[in-house]
Amino acid sequence: MKINHNIQALNAYRNLAQNMNNTSKSLEKLSSGLRINRAADDAAGLAISEKMRSQIKGLDIAERNTLDAISLIQTGEGALNQTHEILQRMRELSVQASNGTLEEQDRTAIQNEVDQLTFEIDRIADTTQFNQKKLLSGSEQGTAFAEVNSSQVAYAGNGTWQGTVNAAPSKPASVDLVFDQAVGALSDTTNPSQIEGKTFIINNKKYEVVTSAAPTNITTNGNIAVKVNWTTSTTDAGKISNVNNLMTAIKGAVELNDPVFKDTVANSKITNATDSAPAEGTPFTGKLTLSSSNNMSVADGKKVSFSFTGFNQVKAYSPDTTTAVTTLVGSPVTTTSASTQLTFSGLPTASDAVPYAGDELIIDGQTIRFSERTSGSTATTATINIKDKNIFEVLDSIKSVLETKKAGGAVPAMSSVDVVGSTLVLSTDRTDDGASNGLDISLKDVDFEANKDKDLELDMHIGANASETLKITIGVMDAAKLGLARAADGSYLTAGVNAVQGVDVSSTEAARGAITRMDQAIRMVSEERSKLGAIQNRLEHTTLNLQMSNENLTSAESRIRDTDMAKEMTNFTKNNILNQAGQAMLAQANQLPQGILQLLK
């Protein structure tokens, strides 16, 4: 007998520990309901189960996708139902208009209703949406290789965006009105007076000089009164006084009656005429500078005109020059530049939203062409090789070209160019002159397509795996595609262009032709609705198939992953009994070494 190693106790302990471990696993399975709680429970089963779970979750989403597709089709088909109703009404009107008993005014009334119904067909096509996706107006337009953040640059058609970017003016527009000794010498005593009743026009308002008894602010001729103290004089001093009084009166009348010049104390000013020499008859001038209340561009200044044709002794000049003008003169430059951002994305071969060979960027008359070789550069054209370059290298090349052009005197309207990330930042200090004073920007994307006349194609993902898709095509259903839309000149339009007027029913012959057009349009809408209905029926079967596949696959995954509660309860009961027996045997084994004490007595 041994006391250092109680082999029986160790054996009992090992079996007890194993039984307790098995009991713990049984408790875990019973409490979770899963046979596989960790990979160690069944490594192969876990791998199979996880693949099945991916399929099950994919089938859940595919079912939702299919239901969304059905909803989309129902939305489009419901809109076409109303289009059908409109077409039937238009056909009725065409039949009515083809009757010879109608007068011209009768057909005019019918034509008006036909026009309005045509506009409604276009409205339905333009506004029928599912999740903000237009369904009946064709495919969305393509994506340009760069997005311009300025509203002054707009899509001009055929893959071209263009516009002129202007900075906000930072100075008021003004004009110098010059009065010389000839004005001051006008007589107020002759009959008629040379100064009384003189008129001039500023900003479409007619002013009249009044030197007699003080009138109201409006003269008897209906003009704005310019009340001035005037003395017929032959001396320089008298003439100078007349000129200065006249300038003060004009300034006060204009600022009082024209909001363009209101509150311009800090802007408008008078440079009084002065007697610079003792000798009589020495020439002199006085200058009245009228400036706008607000900052004005060149184009805004051109809207404010001057006319002194009835008062030709007064001259209008561009500020501080002797250049004759007939409008306010705004500053062509500003102290605050305007920035425009052209944001590029991706690599030259990654997607449509990047420059491709043949694309062009035109800045202030300088053309930058993108190519896969470097050639064809001229005084106004530069070619950038985009082959094997990322977008950042392309942008650096664009910046370098523009900086070189500016250093050479080109692109005068561009005040600076910079690159921030994938964005080209262009700045200009030119204000709007109504012509081409600003920074001209043109973007040409050769592979851009405005797909307004193409059917809408949607890829619906109706399965759990990557390749399980269904392509749905919805035709353009606007009035032009149906052959019912006309332009202002009466010509029939193509798809993608909203009608200006409806199909012609203005005469018996035209109305009979309209009946044929209506029949064709009704047939087209019927075919489209039939196609959508067929797809909807197919998708309903797809939904049932997905539901059945989901159910069967879930059942298969359950057999692998879920625990059999009855069977596991049997194992738990067995292990529980073994635990109790093991504990008892371990206690007995621990008592065996005490038998040695009997030998030592």
Side-chain angles (χ1 to χ4, degrees):
M1 300 179 68
K2 304 171 184 178
I3 62 172
N4 285 329
H5 295 87
N6 189 345
I7 303 302
Q8 294 86 346
L10 291 175
N11 182 272
Y13 171 75
R14 176 177 59 79
N15 286 301
L16 177 60
Q18 183 176 351
N19 287 333
M20 291 185 69
N21 184 49
N22 290 337
T23 302
S24 176
K25 289 183 179 180
S26 292
L27 284 171
E28 184 178 38
K29 293 175 182 178
L30 289 169
S31 62
S32 68
L34 296 174
R35 186 180 71 87
I36 303 175
N37 290 282
R38 57 179 61 83
D41 292 338
D42 185 350
L46 177 69
I48 296 171
S49 174
E50 288 298 333
K51 286 192 293 183
M52 287 184 172
R53 282 190 172 185
S54 297
Q55 293 293 299
I56 293 169
K57 292 180 182 295
L59 290 170
D60 286 336
I61 298 300
E63 182 181 345
R64 286 167 51 188
N65 288 350
T66 306
L67 293 174
D68 285 343
I70 292 174
S71 298
L72 181 145
I73 289 174
Q74 288 175 332
T75 301
E77 196 270 332
L80 290 180
N81 177 51
Q82 193 57 44
T83 301
H84 247 156
E85 294 292 334
I86 292 173
L87 291 174
Q88 294 290 2
R89 174 56 180 165
M90 291 173 70
R91 191 181 190 281
E92 290 177 9
L93 293 171
S94 298
V95 173
Q96 182 181 1
S98 65
N99 194 7
T101 62
L102 299 182
E103 295 292 336
E104 182 177 353
Q105 59 268 30
D106 299 327
R107 289 197 175 88
T108 299
I110 294 174
Q111 183 69 64
N112 290 337
E113 183 175 354
V114 168
D115 290 347
Q116 292 301 318
L117 292 174
T118 304
F119 301 154
E120 180 61 16
I121 291 176
D122 274 340
R123 191 199 66 81
I124 291 172
D126 289 339
T127 60
T128 300
Q129 300 181 14
F130 183 86
N131 192 31
Q132 296 187 342
K133 183 182 292 293
K134 293 184 178 181
L135 303 182
L136 303 177
S137 60
S139 299
E140 296 179 357
Q141 62 186 17
T143 303
F145 65 81
E147 179 182 352
V148 187
N149 75 329
S150 173
S151 60
Q152 295 172 296
V153 179
Y155 183 63
N158 299 322
T160 300
W161 286 256
Q162 60 187 24
T164 301
V165 178
N166 298 109
S170 58
K171 298 178 181 178
S174 61
V175 67
D176 287 344
L177 304 181
V178 177
F179 303 75
D180 58 21
Q181 65 272 20
V183 178
L186 294 175
S187 172
D188 192 30
T189 58
T190 58
N191 191 14
S193 169
Q194 293 178 333
I195 185 65
E196 176 85 17
K198 287 286 188 181
T199 61
F200 52 89
I201 299 173
I202 297 178
N203 198 21
N204 296 320
K205 295 178 177 61
K206 194 170 185 179
Y207 297 84
E208 181 179 341
V209 177
V210 178
T211 61
S212 56
T216 61
N217 290 330
I218 302 299
T219 70
T220 56
N221 296 322
N223 302 322
I224 299 172
V226 178
K227 295 177 282 187
V228 58
N229 293 324
W230 195 273
T231 302
T232 302
S233 178
T234 58
T235 66
D236 287 349
K239 296 174 184 177
I240 289 173
S241 178
N242 286 341
V243 166
N244 293 339
N245 290 339
L246 179 59
M247 290 191 297
T248 301
I250 291 175
K251 181 176 182 293
V254 170
E255 290 183 353
L256 179 64
N257 292 279
D258 196 328
V260 170
F261 303 99
K262 187 177 182 181
D263 300 328
T264 59
V265 176
N267 296 327
S268 297
K269 60 183 180 180
I270 294 175
T271 304
N272 283 328
T274 59
D275 193 357
S276 60
E280 290 292 331
T282 302
F284 66 85
T285 59
K287 183 171 69 175
L288 168 60
T289 300
L290 288 178
S291 296
S292 60
S293 304
N294 301 321
N295 297 332
M296 276 192 175
S297 65
V298 177
D300 291 334
K302 290 179 179 179
K303 299 175 184 177
V304 182
S305 63
F306 294 83
S307 175
F308 286 87
T309 54
F311 203 172
N312 55 19
Q313 294 87 349
V314 183
K315 308 297 182 185
Y317 295 123
S318 178
D320 300 322
T321 72
T322 56
T323 303
V325 295
T326 57
T327 63
L328 277 180
V329 179
S331 176
V333 297
T334 178
T335 58
T336 305
S337 297
S339 295
T340 302
Q341 298 179 358
L342 280 71
T343 302
F344 296 67
S345 60
L347 301 175
T349 57
S351 70
D352 288 339
V354 292
Y356 275 82
D359 291 344
E360 292 183 356
L361 182 62
I362 304 173
I363 306 296
D364 208 17
Q366 300 296 313
T367 300
I368 298 175
R369 291 177 179 164
F370 301 101
S371 175
E372 294 191 355
R373 61 184 185 337
T374 304
S375 63
S377 296
T378 65
T380 58
T381 303
T383 301
I384 293 179
N385 189 340
I386 61 172
K387 188 174 183 180
D388 300 326
K389 288 184 180 179
N390 61 42
I391 194 62
F392 307 107
E393 292 171 327
V394 172
L395 284 170
D396 286 339
S397 297
I398 296 173
K399 179 183 178 183
S400 177
V401 167
L402 291 176
E403 287 178 336
T404 301
K405 293 286 186 181
K406 185 169 181 61
V411 290
M414 186 188 75
S415 56
S416 67
V417 57
D418 200 4
V419 173
V420 180
S422 60
T423 298
L424 182 69
V425 182
L426 301 171
S427 298
T428 182
D429 59 0
R430 303 302 175 95
T431 63
D432 182 18
D433 68 347
S436 58
N437 184 57
L439 181 63
D440 295 326
I441 296 177
S442 181
L443 181 74
K444 294 183 178 180
D445 193 317
V446 294
D447 61 351
F448 177 89
E449 290 183 351
N451 295 321
K452 292 291 289 184
D453 60 340
K454 296 184 179 180
D455 292 347
L456 176 65
E457 292 186 352
L458 302 172
D459 285 327
M460 313 305 297
H461 203 94
I462 58 171
N465 302 312
S467 60
E468 297 174 5
T469 61
L470 170 65
K471 187 181 293 295
I472 296 177
T473 302
I474 303 178
V476 180
M477 289 287 110
D478 60 12
K481 185 64 176 289
L482 297 176
L484 307 177
R486 289 190 299 155
D489 61 1
S491 61
Y492 282 92
L493 300 169
T494 58
V497 181
N498 284 345
V500 178
Q501 53 185 329
V503 63
D504 185 14
V505 293
S506 60
S507 66
T508 301
E509 293 75 14
R512 289 170 182 169
I515 296 174
T516 303
R517 285 184 174 272
M518 296 300 173
D519 289 338
Q520 177 71 7
I522 292 172
R523 183 187 63 78
M524 291 175 65
V525 175
S526 297
E527 289 178 354
E528 190 64 29
R529 291 185 67 185
S530 298
K531 180 184 71 177
L532 293 177
I535 296 174
Q536 179 178 338
N537 289 337
R538 173 184 174 177
L539 288 173
E540 289 174 352
H541 287 290
T542 301
T543 302
L544 293 175
N545 175 258
L546 290 171
Q547 292 172 345
M548 186 174 296
S549 297
N550 193 337
E551 178 184 344
N552 292 332
L553 199 56
T554 300
S555 176
E557 197 263 345
S558 174
R559 284 191 289 271
I560 297 173
R561 198 77 173 237
D562 293 344
T563 188
D564 185 333
M565 300 295 286
K567 182 179 180 181
E568 197 57 45
M569 193 65 198
T570 302
N571 290 332
F572 173 75
T573 302
K574 178 192 71 173
N575 290 328
N576 197 26
I577 294 172
L578 289 174
N579 282 335
Q580 295 178 38
Q583 291 170 2
M585 292 306 101
L586 180 60
Q588 291 295 325
N590 286 333
Q591 294 295 322
L592 289 177
Q594 295 184 12
I596 297 175
L597 294 176
Q598 299 298 324
L599 299 176
L600 296 177
K601 289 182 179 181

